[in-house]
Every structure is written in structure tokens, then in C-alpha cells.
Amino acid sequence: DFQISYDGSRTYTMPDFGDNLNVADKWNMLIDTTYKFYETTQCAETGVVPNWALVKESTGSTLAKQSGSFSGSGTPQYEFGAEASRTLWRVAFDAALYPEESFEQTESFLQPVHQKLKDNFNNGANDWYDNALEGCEYVNMIFSSWKNVGFIFSPVYSTLVIQAQSMSRPYQQTLVNAACGLIGNIPSSYYSRSWQVIGMMTLNGDMKKVGNLLRDTGIT
């Protein structure tokens, strides 16, 4: 929080750190750093991330994993759980709202996620196998019974709103239809229900409409 150490007047505007960057450049730098953080902490083969992660600067333009313990909200650091699942949705949200600007970064991040969803779809049951989510060396646990927990599966399935490079459009539509059916089974739990509503809004195209409004494309 720059406000803690910033010795100027306390405001809620972006401060000038003497780097001669305008506000747009600062935001783009923040976005680029966020995706570098994701790249550093993501399981390359399966696409999942941990609930919590520490990173450090390796060079002026790259990050590396930082050893140490860090957690919060009662969720394990190296689990793909409540915090981690939201990361997948945030990337899909970025891609839905700003498809051209975010294409390279979002495509790279979502590719292994889409591959796992493609490879582990159970056509007979119109659902996914449990190993659609798998960890790696630094994500050593997947949230228990994740397929039955709306705040886990809704953010994961929401990534299907973005066209995958690993499957045809008709086949991906099959997966989207299956995801909509699962997400549409609204539970009584407030938190899961909230995320399933968000998942429905993402998969039915509402988020893309928001993107059109933000970019003032004239498309509704």
C-alpha cells in the first residue's frame, strides 16, 4: 500500500513516483506484473494456482517463486481452493471484457485449464471427471469434492466462455452447455449461490455485453 509510506498528502489518486508514466501506463504495468505473478505460480501442465503465493523479483522484468509461509482466510497456502478458483474467473473476465488487449496473456494462462477440461469431460454424464483439476509440486491439494462446490466449479467452468485453442467451437459449445446445466442448479448456500450466479452471467454472454459498454463499441 503506497499510502503507508507515501509522504505526500493522503489522497486516493495514483501518486507520481517520478517515473514519468501516465495513469494508463501505470495500469498497464500493474496488469503486466499481475500476469507475470500468475505465470510464476501457475502449474504449467494443469493450469491451477495456489490459494496464496509469495514471489520475488528475479530480474528487472521477471519474477520467481519465494520460499516461505503465507496464508489467510483459513485456507491452506498450497491448495487450489476458494481463493485460487477466483483467479481463473478473473482471467476469463479480463478476456471477456478486453479480448484484443488481453489476448496473448489470457490465452497463455487459460490454455492448460482448457486442455484439462477438454480431456476430462465425461460425455455420458455430461459432467467432468474429478481429475479435470490436478495439482503439481507447488499446488499439492485440490479442494475436496470440488465438483459439488459452487464457489470452486463455477469460476473454473466460467473459463469456457473464452474460445479455447485446443478444441473446436462446436465441441466447446457442448462443454459450455454442460457447464451451464451444472451451474444452473442453484444451491441454498449463499456463497456458492453467489458464485453460480456470477458463473451464469459469465457463460451466457452478459460479461461480454459489459465489455462492449465499457469500450463504447455501440454493440449491445
Side-chain angles (χ1 to χ4, degrees), residues 31-89:
I31 292 167
D32 289 342
T33 302
T34 299
Y35 277 102
K36 288 176 182 176
F37 190 104
Y38 290 165
E39 181 183 3
T40 303
T41 58
Q42 185 183 33
C43 293
E45 298 297 322
T46 64
V48 300
V49 295
N51 282 325
W52 306 94
L54 293 169
V55 301
K56 60 183 177 182
E57 284 191 344
S58 178
T59 68
S61 59
T62 60
L63 301 176
K65 293 180 182 62
Q66 171 69 45
S67 60
S69 175
F70 178 63
S71 186
S73 303
T75 54
Q77 178 173 353
Y78 297 107
E79 175 195 58
F80 179 83
E83 272 73 39
S85 64
R86 297 197 294 265
T87 299
L88 273 60
W89 180 83

Side-chain angles (χ1 to χ4, degrees), residues 58-149:
S58 178
T59 68
S61 59
T62 60
L63 301 176
K65 293 180 182 62
Q66 171 69 45
S67 60
S69 175
F70 178 63
S71 186
S73 303
T75 54
Q77 178 173 353
Y78 297 107
E79 175 195 58
F80 179 83
E83 272 73 39
S85 64
R86 297 197 294 265
T87 299
L88 273 60
W89 180 83
R90 290 186 185 110
V91 173
F93 182 74
D94 188 20
L97 263 61
Y98 299 100
E100 292 84 11
E101 298 90 335
S102 69
F103 176 77
E104 184 176 345
Q105 292 163 317
T106 56
E107 181 190 39
S108 175
F109 180 89
L110 293 174
Q111 191 280 325
V113 179
H114 284 156
Q115 189 67 53
K116 291 290 289 182
L117 291 175
K118 174 191 175 186
D119 293 344
N120 294 279
F121 182 64
N122 184 344
N123 282 284
N126 220 29
D127 198 348
W128 278 266
Y129 295 109
D130 287 338
N131 59 357
L133 294 181
E134 288 187 310
C136 61
E137 180 183 356
Y138 40 92
V139 180
N140 59 22
M141 187 189 323
I142 302 296
F143 195 93
S144 178
S145 302
W146 69 269
K147 294 199 309 173
N148 301 316
V149 182

Side-chain angles (χ1 to χ4, degrees), residues 137-180:
E137 180 183 356
Y138 40 92
V139 180
N140 59 22
M141 187 189 323
I142 302 296
F143 195 93
S144 178
S145 302
W146 69 269
K147 294 199 309 173
N148 301 316
V149 182
F151 59 81
I152 301 294
F153 69 70
S154 289
V156 173
Y157 297 159
S158 293
T159 65
L160 290 167
V161 74
I162 307 305
Q163 178 60 45
Q165 301 304 305
S166 58
M167 63 186 97
S168 67
R169 286 181 181 270
Y171 187 73
Q172 184 165 350
Q173 186 62 54
T174 299
L175 270 58
V176 169
N177 293 344
C180 287

